Structure formats: structure tokens, C-alpha cells
Amino acid sequence: MNREALANFVFNNGAIENESSVFEKDCENIAYLLDHCEITISQNDRFFVKTNVKRLQAEVLHKRYAALIKEIKTVEIQNGERTRAYTGIFDFGHTSPIWQNVLNLGIVGLRNELMQRAKNGTSEKQKRFYAGCVRIYDAALRFLARVSEFALNAGKTEMAEGLHNLCKRAPSNLFEALQTIIVFYNLQHDFECTNLRTLGRLDGLLYPHYTATEKTFAAKMLQDFINEIDRLEAPSNIPFAIGGTDEHGNTLVNPLSYELLDLYANAETTNTKLHILCDQTTPEDLVKQAFRCIRLGKNSIVFISNDTAIKGLKALGAAHNDATNYHVVGCYECGAQGEVTCSCNARVNVPKALEIVLNSGVDTYTGISLAENIPGSFASFDELYAVFEKVLLTFTKRAIFATDRWEEKYPLLHASPFFSSTYPSAMEKGGDIYCDYAAKYNNSSINAIGLATAVDSLVAIQKLVYIDKKYTLAQLKKILQNDWENEEILRLTVKNNYPKYGMGDPTVDELAKRIVERLARYVNGRKNVKGGVWRLGTFSIDWRWNFGEHTHATANGRKAGETLSQNTSATFGADKEGATAHLLSVSAFSHALTPNGSVADIDLHVSALQGENGINAMYSTLKTYFERGGLAVHYNVLDTEVLKKAKERPSAYPNLQVRLCGWNVLFSSLNEKEKDEFIARSLEKENV
Amino acid sequence: MKGLISGIKRMEIHDGDGLRTTVFFKGCPLKCIWCHNPESIDFSKQLAYFQEKCIGCESCVSACKEKSPFALNPPFPDCSFCLDCVNACPTNALIAYGKEYTLDELLSAVLQDEPFFKNGNGGVTLSGGECLAQPKFAVAFAKRLSEKGISVYVDTCGYVKQDVFTEILPFIDTFLYDVKAFDNDLHTRLTGKGNRLILENLSYLSRQNARIEIRYPLIQGVNSDETEKIAAYLSTLCGITKVKVLQYHAFAASRYQALGMKNTLPDVKTTFDDVERAVQGFKKHGLPAVNGINE
């Protein structure tokens, strides 16, 4: 059936009637899509096919969302969104099925367990859940049989045979295990439209099958798997993880960890992401192999600290075993085993809170009043800071309120029968993860955006107005309201010469610590409407652009509309003391306080990391950062092409470092001729 | 006691093993024509003006106590180095090279990265300029670091009194020792000084069982004919842990201009292959030579 016909069915069938119908309607829709979708196969496909159902159930969700907007969005919520001071929304997009169950039981095993449990279901809700799940699993098995036949006709006997087996039993070899992962990805991500954002710890999951497979054969199969995952065209990459520890603290690194890393280094992949879960038990050679991989330009590797992740999750109430067996979804977000990781619910704009304090409670762009009773002047910096903190917490409260409003409506928005059926808690309770809040840990998240922009601005205000007394606060307010017009010298002075977060200055970093600790006290562990708790994060990913566009000039020399700082990192160009200083700043506070995710972004040029000593230096930075309580690091090692772009647009690469005169300097600090010479030399090196 | 320092660089991987912080002492007895740290040659404080960064705001003029007609033409002979102009410059077009540090101040500055040293087998490298040209301060500084268990390397041109090496030797893990030419006349032409003292000190360190990494800056067509002679000499010494051949580049041109110094950088290119040939030349003599481009 073509996509339009499929859409007609699911849209008509998926309209909200009442709370009890959403689960049933979604199961009907998923079964219908499985039974009627079109299948296509390409020459490259080894494990599975493509269908024409992508995003259809997501559009059903969107229509339900649209129908609820008026009811949910109060003026206060709308004001937060219009000004980007605070926002709150549902998040069905950051999940990890419990892969052990998927691979141990297989599609047919999960279905059989549901059948077994259906016999014991007593309440209407339970009966509805088990029946709905069985229905979609039956449809899935029919679908797999259909795909198997289709593959056979297309001459894909390996694929056909694997699927034929998976209709009868759990995966029993490496090929079938990999095929099961891709099949389940399709079922959950494409048919159900609960975004699946990690393939799990593949080294552990696949190891038993890997050891039973001839090594060359296994390597080729894994390579084909990575390539096929790459072609799934998922939003924001598909991550997988290696490493970690068991509940006793023993490393889980095995020979497959090395193999996967090696394959990843050589794969032509742009759509996958690798999380390496490390601590002091992780073999040094694995981490160094990862750094060599990064040096080759594989910048999509993120290191996660086991210790910090586990500590943060346990502080939120996760059991030791669940925290140890955590997953990482999306970019840097860790969730305990059994947790539904709604990591992108609420956002609070930290610099906006300061803008509001300096503008009598009013948003500069829109004129919307966001805070009452803001004093016009402050006798001291501490007084100003206290009001800033109060406004920030008010915004946080409102962002939480907005998210609560949506999360109360989960039963009216989206059902996740495939996803839920992998969770023991959902299976035991007989309820859907979303419609019935059946996860073991039903947590919600809020991310503080623009931390460094806010810290640098506070430091600038303190120095200009309260220490050096070069300007009155009224004068500075006027300058910011006028977006630094006719004050370019002052703007550049503040931007280039004032102390900044990211330079390893303890006084400045203390402010970042103060903000994060206060937010953490307010957010972490706070009860949400789902029976879980709130978790704080400090990543801003690409939101920093959009939130920046709605944030007026800030006192750190940033002009109105420019981007806010990235994640937990320094503002661009502020890390002029180098990576070690940058990492000291970012680890000025414990990242166990930001269990929803935080990351230090470290940009380096490949020439600054030459030889084994370069690898040792990177290893040292990572180990030290994690010892100091950091959670995640993302190293960007840039190449000649990037240098060329940096020459054309220096402002886009203000903190790109290159090796010069025996040390590293900012590329932007070179003159044009030197830049040309450096590019030529870099090219020569590449051509050797 | 104070030391005059032209700069401190953190997370340095090219000045010895592991992750290091390098301290650039100001002033050098040699005047190598290819010097890529011209700000470290003179023993006095210097102001540098980077014209490309200047936006012409004249904040420096306003800030100058003497209200001098600031022509922005280095080397600013009448400057009292109050640094008001440097601090007032919004774009860092004015840079002061040469800051006086007490031992405690310098220790505090370099120990910021101490947590990284232990995880990266790193430490502190005394460089320059010529760090041993401020002998009392350098020895005292190395001693303090060594007492704290920090690995200390010295990057030296070797043109200092032998007594200085004797004094500092107990505190140093490895000497990064420059050998620029073997022929005395050529050495004099290229650096302004003969190499007899340098080679004597190198032999002395070798006899004292010091760990020595030789640094050979290769400037093709300038000192490239020296490779064989240097290699033959080095092969007679003990304690050479590495011979690192460094590729010449002319990236320091903007700093010569900014400092108002005559640019003496040779207009030649040294390629990867040139360096590789020199490396092979050392290896023929059984020396542990490496290509600096790869390290």
C-alpha cells in the first residue's frame, strides 16, 4: 500500500477519543502498517529492507499534540516559548529498549512472554496492554515472514533465511543477532515512532555470538552492519556503546570492544556515534586506540565516565545494578537500566535570566514581562546575583510546570508497545511506558542552556560596575539595550581581555559552580507528575543557536542574537589557555550534579597531537577530567580542510588550535600568509 | 629573586615526554638567524605591536601615562613598561613580552596543570630563550619543582658556563639539547657564537650520565650539510636517548615585525623528505633519530 493510503488510515484511526483508546489505536495503527507497508530492498542491504512508513505514527502524535495545545499552553508557557526564556515539552525521542531482552528472547520470544502474561492479566488495563502487544507482535511476525519471502525472491538468501529463523526462535548466531537489532530498530523507531537513540553496549551484547564466529567472517559482518546502520538516516546519528563495568566494578571491555573500535575507525560512516564508557579499569590501550581513531578525524566519539554517570544516577534513586548497567542515549544522556530517559523535556535559558534582571523584568526583543519587582539598581554584585538566581529559579519552575502539563497528557499522546515490551517493569505491571507510566524510573529532564555565556557576563558586570567602577549599572544596561552600538572598543575589551570561564580561573569557575549547584539543588530529585524525579543537564547542542537568536546582547561582549555558549563548555575563543585549563574550568563542579548530561567540547588540530606523545597527552586530559568528576568529553580534532574554512571564516573557528613554534596557538591569531603556509605544510604532511 | 619570563605554555607535547607546561625564559646568548621565538632573544622586556589586529582605536594612546605620541613603531625605546597601553588594547594588538616572576609565582602558574602531569607522565620544561642564562633562578626553580616530585626538563642551547649544568643536573630528568652545526665557523655565522663551549658542555653532560635528547633544527641549504658531522660526533657520546630532527618553518615572521626586529629568517623550505633524509643519516650512525614532524 502506498504511503498516502497508509497515512489516511493511521491519521483517521489515531485521532484522540479518550485516554483508554490511545494505546489500542496505536496498536491498531502499527499492526496495519506492518501488514500493509511497501517493502524495498537495495543491493547493499544485507540484514533488512526499507519500508514506506517512516514518521507516520510521529505525525499521528503531532496531530494529537496540536489538538491539546490550546488546553495546555497557558500564557506563562507561551511567554517562555516566545522569549526562549524557558520551554517545556514531552520527549518520546530518547529511548533505549532493553537490548538484552530483545536479543535473548528475540521477536518471537517477546511475543511468547506477552502471551504467557496475558493469561495472568486481571485488570482491564493489563488485559488491554497484553492484548495490544500480542497483536503488534503477531503483525510483526507476519511482516517478517513477508520480508523473508520478498528477500528470497530478490536473491537475498542470507537475509531471508535469517528472518525465517527469527520468526521461530531467538537469534542463535552473530548474523541473526545483528539482524534482530536492525529489525527491532525498524519496529520501534519507524513503525511505532518511539525514537530509538542507542543500539546499546554492542561489545557485551554480541560477544557470545562473536566468539562463536570465525574472526574474518565476523569482522566483515560487523562492518556491513555498521554501514547498514549508517544508511538508516536516523535523526542526529545512531549511537552505540562499548566498555562499562559490571555491578562489582569489573571492566566489561572484551576483544569485541577493540574490534568494534577498529571497524568504526575504518568505516565510512557519518550517521553513527560511538560512546566509550570508561573508568580506571578500562584498559589504557583501548582508550588510546580511540584517540588514534579521533586523530584520524572520527570526531563522533564521546567518552563517558562510568564513575560520574553511576554516581549521578544513584543520587536520583536508581538501584546500584540499574545505575551500573546504564545506557547512553542521544548525545551524552545516561539513563539507568529500566529508566525512560526523557532527556530533552525542559530548557532554561541562563543568560536570559540575567537579561531580564538588567531590563526591569522585561524581555528586550518582545517586551513581554517575565519577572515582577526587579529593582532598578543593586548596591552590590551579591545583591544583583541574588536576584539573578531568583529569576533563574523562577524560569526553571515554569519550564518544569510546562513539561508537567505535557507529561500529564502522556496517555493521550503516544503508546509504545514494542518499546514497553522490552522493559520488565512494563511487562510485570501490564502497562505502557508512556500511556501507563510503566517504566521503573519515570524521570524528566531540564537543561540549563548558555552556562558559560551567563558566567562570563556576570564576571564582566562584576568587574566593570562593582570592582573597577568604570561604568554604572545604568550605563551598562543602556549599552546592552543598544546592542553595544558605538561601544565597540568596550565590547572588544570585555570579549578579549576579561576573565572567562574556560581559562581555569578559580574565581570565575566558582560562579559556574554556584549556578550549577543551585540549579541541581532545585531540580535533582524533585518529584514529577509521572511518579519519577527531575534531573538536571547542562548541554545545549544546537538549541544554543535558536535560544541565542532570541537573547539580546550580553555583558560578555556577545551581540544580540549571537549563539549562546555550547554545552558545558567555554564560550568560543575563551579557552585561550588551552585544553587543560578548559577542562579544569568545566570540572570545577561535580558532574554527578548534572545526571541528565553535560559535556566538555575540546577542539584541537591534528598537528597539536602528533605522535605517541600526542596520544598520551589526550589520554592524560581525559583521565584527569574524569578523576575530577567530569561526565563526558567530546574531542574535535580538525584537519586541513577545516583550516581552509577557518581561514575563510575566522569567526566560525575562534578556538581552533594549531602547533606553531613548538607550541599550540590559535589559528585565528596567525596572519594570512602564515595561515597559507600552515595549510600548505599540513597538506604536505597529509600527502606523505 | 625574580626571573624574566616571556611566556608560559600549557598542554605542550613537543617539549619532552608526556603532557608538559613549558616556561619560556627571556633572553638568549645566541642569535640564531632562524630563531622562531624572537621575543625570547632579548634579555629585557619588550612590547610588540601586531598591526593586523589593530583597529586604530587609539585606546593605547589614551592610556599611556606620558601621553606620548604613540607612533606604534616598535621597539618603543622610551617605554617604562607600565603596561597600561597593553591592558587598554581591546584586540590584543599590543603584547608585552617579559614578565617578572618570583619563584612562588612561577610555581603557582606552572602547577595549575599538575593533575594532568601525573596522568600523562609529564611535567615542566624550562625553555626560552636560554633558561640557563638566568642560572640562579632556573636552578632554584628546578629544585623546587623536583622537590615536589614534578618531572623537570631543560631545553638548552648549551652556551652557558659548565658550573650551571653541574648545579642544575640533580634536578633534571632530561636535557633537550640543541646542536645546530658542527663546524665552528658556520655555527658562528648562523648563531653569532662559536660552538666549542656547547660541545664541551654536551660531552660533560654525557659523562655525568645525564639523559639527553638532541634537537637538530634542520634548515635545508643552511645547516643541512652538517648532519653527517654531527651524527659522527654524537655517536661517540653516551646517554643520548633520542635525536629529534626539527623541520624549519618561517612562521615567526609576524613576531619579528611586531617586535621591530630585523627578520633574519632564511627564505628556504625544509620538506618532510629533507627531514627524513637527515633522520636516516643519524640512524646510519646507530643513533635513535626521529622525524620531528611525526612527533
Side-chain angles (χ1 to χ4, degrees):
Chain A
M1 192 178 280
N2 68 33
R3 187 174 167 87
E4 194 181 346
L6 293 171
N8 278 338
F9 178 86
V10 296
F11 293 166
N12 290 333
N13 189 53
I16 295 179
E17 288 172 8
N18 55 57
E19 284 198 10
S20 63
S21 73
V22 164
F23 184 82
E24 282 165 15
K25 293 292 181 190
D26 280 352
C27 288
E28 279 171 21
N29 278 356
I30 294 165
Y32 189 86
L33 293 173
L34 286 162
D35 283 336
H36 297 93
C37 67
E38 285 176 3
I39 303 165
T40 51
I41 196 163
S42 75
Q43 197 56 40
N44 294 333
D45 292 337
R46 182 171 176 183
F47 297 94
F48 204 55
V49 295
K50 302 283 181 294
T51 67
N52 61 339
V53 303
K54 248 184 212 297
R55 306 286 305 156
L56 284 177
Q57 271 296 95
E59 287 178 38
V60 171
L61 163 63
H62 188 78
K63 286 176 189 295
R64 291 170 183 163
Y65 155 79
L68 287 169
I69 284 179
K70 270 193 181 171
E71 179 191 335
I72 287 183
K73 287 194 180 176
T74 61
V75 171
E76 188 181 275
I77 292 174
Q78 289 176 43
N79 284 346
E81 288 183 355
R82 283 182 62 194
T83 59
R84 298 298 191 281
Y86 50 86
T87 63
I89 190 71
F90 51 80
D91 179 8
F92 303 113
H94 294 84
T95 72
S96 171
I98 296 186
W99 284 107
Q100 289 97 323
N101 291 347
V102 176
L103 288 171
N104 289 344
L105 298 171
I107 306 300
V108 74
L110 286 165
R111 186 254 181 206
N112 291 343
E113 191 178 330
L114 284 158
M115 283 291 286
Q116 199 62 34
R117 287 182 181 275
K119 290 177 192 164
N120 305 325
T122 50
S123 72
E124 279 307 306
K125 202 178 252 187
Q126 284 175 323
K127 284 177 186 167
R128 183 195 70 184
F129 175 75
Y130 294 128
C133 287
V134 169
R135 180 177 187 170
I136 55 136
Y137 271 93
D138 283 343
L141 291 171
R142 289 194 298 274
F143 171 63
L144 294 187
R146 184 158 66 100
V147 176
S148 176
E149 196 179 324
F150 185 88
L152 194 63
N153 291 335
K156 299 272 184 182
T157 50
E158 186 187 34
M159 182 193 292
E161 191 183 329
L163 292 171
H164 181 73
N165 292 336
L166 293 181
C167 288
K168 290 187 281 188
R169 56 167 169 73
S172 66
N173 56 45
L174 183 62
F175 179 85
E176 288 174 8
L178 295 171
Q179 193 172 41
T180 300
I181 291 172
I182 297 191
V183 166
F184 197 84
Y185 180 91
N186 271 269
L187 295 176
Q188 187 192 313
H189 192 89
D190 287 354
F191 285 88
E192 179 180 297
C193 290
T194 306
N195 282 5
L196 194 159
R197 296 306 311 283
T198 179
L199 303 181
R201 301 183 186 187
L202 285 186
D203 50 355
L205 289 166
L206 297 172
Y207 193 59
H209 296 306
Y210 173 74
T211 52
T213 312
E214 193 276 319
K215 293 292 165 280
T216 318
F217 194 57
K220 174 74 174 78
M221 206 182 288
L222 289 163
Q223 187 74 70
D224 289 342
F225 172 77
I226 291 174
N227 290 337
E228 197 155 321
I229 290 292
D230 193 62
R231 293 194 297 273
L232 288 175
E233 297 169 5
S236 315
N237 308 138
I238 303 175
F240 66 93
I242 58 173
T245 50
D246 64 16
E247 65 270 28
H248 306 296
N250 302 312
T251 184
L252 293 174
V253 170
N254 60 36
L256 182 54
S257 316
Y258 292 86
E259 178 81 84
L260 284 167
L261 185 54
D262 194 41
L263 289 168
Y264 188 74
N266 296 307
E268 291 294 325
T269 172
T270 53
N271 197 27
T272 57
K273 203 174 335 193
L274 177 59
H275 292 128
I276 303 181
L277 320 181
C278 347
D279 62 13
Q280 64 280 3
T281 68
T282 311
E284 191 172 321
D285 61 347
L286 181 84
V287 178
K288 288 187 172 176
Q289 188 180 330
F291 278 126
R292 285 186 200 97
C293 186
I294 291 170
R295 194 166 59 183
L296 290 171
K298 294 282 178 186
N299 286 333
S300 285
I301 293 179
V302 175
F303 295 96
I304 304 284
S305 162
N306 277 329
D307 293 341
T308 308
I310 293 167
K311 189 176 172 189
L313 292 170
K314 283 169 82 169
L316 289 176
H320 175 73
N321 285 3
D322 293 334
T324 306
N325 197 8
Y326 68 94
H327 55 258
V328 191
V329 293
C331 297
Y332 335 98
E333 304 101 283
C334 301
Q337 180 88 334
E339 177 173 359
V340 56
T341 319
C342 295
S343 59
C344 295
N345 283 134
R347 288 151 222 179
V348 61
N349 183 338
V350 187
K352 176 67 82 177
L354 190 54
E355 177 191 326
I356 295 305
V357 172
L358 297 178
N359 202 36
S360 310
V362 176
D363 178 63
T364 319
Y365 274 127
T366 62
I368 291 172
S369 174
L370 290 171
E372 305 287 331
N373 304 321
I374 302 293
S377 62
F378 305 92
S380 67
F381 176 74
D382 285 344
E383 273 187 24
L384 181 144
Y385 185 86
V387 177
F388 156 74
E389 189 177 276
K390 196 175 162 191
V391 172
L392 182 61
L393 293 183
T394 302
F395 287 0
T396 306
K397 185 180 175 184
R398 291 175 187 171
I400 286 174
F401 172 73
T403 303
D404 281 346
R405 300 268 293 177
W406 282 111
E407 293 199 323
E408 280 168 351
K409 299 293 183 187
Y410 271 9
L412 285 171
L413 286 165
H414 181 65
S416 62
F418 280 126
F419 173 50
S420 300
S421 62
T422 69
Y423 272 53
S425 61
M427 289 292 253
E428 282 158 22
K429 288 177 190 168
D432 184 82
I433 295 280
Y434 297 113
C435 294
D436 305 308
Y437 306 110
K440 186 172 181 183
Y441 308 105
N442 280 296
N443 297 340
S444 309
S445 67
I446 182 162
N447 277 299
I449 296 173
L451 176 68
T453 303
V455 170
D456 293 351
S457 300
L458 283 163
V459 169
I461 293 167
Q462 188 178 30
K463 185 168 162 58
L464 273 172
V465 177
Y466 295 101
I467 297 174
D468 296 350
K469 299 188 191 324
K470 283 185 178 167
Y471 292 81
T472 65
L473 190 63
Q475 286 172 320
L476 182 60
K477 283 180 184 178
K478 195 81 186 158
I479 288 167
L480 295 179
Q481 279 156 13
N482 292 332
D483 195 14
W484 300 95
E485 196 181 336
N486 300 323
E487 293 290 349
E488 187 61 4
I489 294 171
L490 175 63
R491 189 182 79 81
L492 290 171
T493 302
V494 171
K495 194 175 168 67
N496 295 324
N497 295 353
Y498 274 38
K500 299 275 191 302
Y501 172 78
M503 295 167 72
D505 181 331
T507 317
V508 177
D509 299 344
E510 184 60 30
L511 265 178
K513 184 172 184 249
R514 198 168 158 189
I515 293 172
V516 171
E517 288 183 348
R518 186 66 192 92
L519 282 172
R521 271 206 311 282
Y522 189 84
V523 171
N524 289 334
R526 191 182 193 86
K527 294 211 171 357
N528 65 13
V529 294
K530 302 184 297 187
V533 295
W534 281 88
R535 20 187 276 167
L536 176 67
T538 51
F539 62 86
S540 62
I541 47 174
D542 54 348
W543 305 326
R544 66 189 171 83
W545 294 105
N546 182 266
F547 278 61
E549 282 168 14
H550 291 79
T551 305
H552 210 261
T554 44
N556 64 332
R558 176 188 154 278
K559 294 185 88 170
E562 287 181 358
T563 181
L564 302 180
S565 53
Q566 185 177 353
N567 297 320
T568 324
S569 311
T571 51
F572 287 123
D575 55 342
K576 46 178 102 165
E577 293 294 320
T580 50
H582 194 177
L583 288 169
L584 288 175
S585 282
V586 183
S587 56
F589 52 88
S590 166
H591 288 231
L593 296 174
T594 55
N596 195 54
S598 62
V599 65
D601 304 279
I602 303 296
D603 285 356
L604 297 161
H605 185 257
V606 67
S607 64
L609 298 158
Q610 286 171 336
E612 204 48 32
N613 216 24
I615 298 297
N616 289 337
M618 288 178 95
Y619 180 75
S620 161
T621 59
L622 181 73
K623 198 170 175 195
T624 308
Y625 182 65
F626 282 176
E627 280 176 1
R628 288 174 56 85
L631 176 67
V633 194
H634 186 191
Y635 291 89
N636 278 307
V637 177
L638 303 165
D639 62 13
T640 309
E641 281 312 301
V642 176
L643 289 177
K644 287 178 181 172
K645 286 178 191 163
K647 180 174 178 278
E648 282 167 20
R649 290 178 58 226
S651 59
Y653 300 87
N655 54 351
L656 173 63
Q657 292 183 36
V658 291
R659 181 194 171 195
L660 178 68
C661 307
W663 65 68
N664 303 340
V665 297
L666 292 175
F667 187 73
S668 58
S669 71
L670 303 176
N671 66 32
E672 294 306 293
K673 196 179 162 193
E674 288 165 347
K675 284 175 184 169
D676 284 339
E677 209 173 320
F678 199 92
I679 289 167
R681 187 175 150 188
S682 195
L683 266 173
E684 185 193 349
K685 177 69 175 62
E686 276 182 6
N687 294 332
V688 169
Chain B
M1 181 166 50
K2 286 187 175 179
L4 189 63
I5 306 300
S6 59
I8 297 171
K9 202 67 198 167
R10 298 163 74 171
M11 197 180 164
E12 189 49 69
I13 63 163
H14 304 290
D15 291 332
D17 300 318
L19 187 154
R20 311 191 75 81
T21 293
T22 301
V23 180
F24 296 91
F25 284 62
K26 193 150 172 27
C28 183
L30 304 189
K31 302 277 183 293
C32 304
I33 60 170
W34 58 80
C35 181
H36 60 214
N37 293 342
E39 70 279 6
S40 293
I41 296 174
D42 200 285
F43 282 92
S44 57
K45 294 175 186 174
Q46 284 173 290
L47 268 189
Y49 166 58
F50 292 87
Q51 194 173 9
E52 284 187 355
K53 288 186 177 177
C54 180
I55 56 171
C57 66
E58 300 196 352
S59 298
C60 49
V61 179
S62 309
C64 184
K65 284 192 180 72
E66 284 80 28
K67 299 291 173 204
S68 66
F70 217 95
L72 295 176
N73 285 321
F76 315 111
D78 300 324
C79 181
S80 65
F81 290 94
C82 69
L83 302 187
D84 285 351
C85 58
V86 172
N87 295 331
C89 178
T91 59
N92 299 324
L94 279 171
I95 301 282
Y97 289 111
K99 182 181 172 189
E100 287 177 325
Y101 283 86
T102 63
L103 280 175
D104 285 340
E105 286 166 347
L106 194 56
L107 268 174
S108 166
V110 301
L111 290 179
Q112 288 179 81
D113 278 356
E114 189 179 5
F116 297 93
F117 296 158
K118 74 175 169 63
N119 285 328
N121 298 318
V124 176
T125 298
L126 280 55
S127 181
E130 173 50 57
C131 57
L132 301 182
Q134 298 180 54
K136 282 187 181 166
F137 189 82
V139 171
F141 182 53
K143 184 168 184 283
R144 289 281 295 273
L145 286 167
S146 180
E147 284 167 356
K148 282 186 163 293
I150 306 285
S151 154
V152 189
Y153 281 29
V154 157
D155 186 357
T156 177
C157 72
Y159 197 85
V160 291
K161 285 180 183 170
Q162 199 173 92
D163 295 352
V164 181
F165 282 108
T166 308
E167 276 190 67
I168 205 164
L169 190 57
F171 315 117
I172 304 305
D173 283 354
T174 300
F175 289 89
L176 309 175
Y177 204 104
D178 290 2
V179 177
K180 305 164 200 285
F182 191 76
D183 181 85
N184 192 49
D185 291 341
L186 180 66
H187 197 279
T188 307
R189 282 204 302 280
L190 296 178
T191 71
K193 295 283 194 307
N195 64 0
R196 212 182 68 187
L197 178 61
I198 293 169
L199 297 180
E200 277 175 12
N201 281 334
L202 180 56
S203 296
Y204 171 73
L205 286 178
S206 172
R207 289 196 303 277
Q208 300 302 312
N209 297 319
R211 277 171 55 89
I212 306 162
E213 176 183 321
I214 299 296
R215 301 290 183 102
Y216 174 42
L218 183 71
I219 304 100
Q220 193 63 24
V222 176
N223 69 343
S224 46
D225 289 344
E226 295 293 289
T227 306
E228 175 60 26
K229 286 175 272 184
I230 293 172
Y233 166 68
L234 292 179
S235 65
T236 66
L237 302 177
C238 304
I240 308 288
T241 59
K242 195 188 279 185
V243 177
K244 195 167 183 176
V245 184
L246 304 171
Q247 182 190 31
Y248 166 72
H249 61 72
F251 287 152
S254 62
R255 270 175 293 140
Y256 275 93
Q257 190 182 359
L259 288 156
M261 293 167 68
K262 186 187 171 195
N263 181 350
T264 57
L265 295 167
D267 188 16
V268 296
K269 278 199 165 53
T270 306
T271 66
F272 182 89
D273 287 343
D274 296 332
V275 176
E276 201 54 38
R277 268 194 300 277
V279 168
Q280 294 311 319
F282 284 108
K283 281 187 173 172
K284 271 186 206 161
H285 286 268
L287 291 159
V290 295
N291 187 327
I293 298 173
N294 291 332
E295 292 219 342

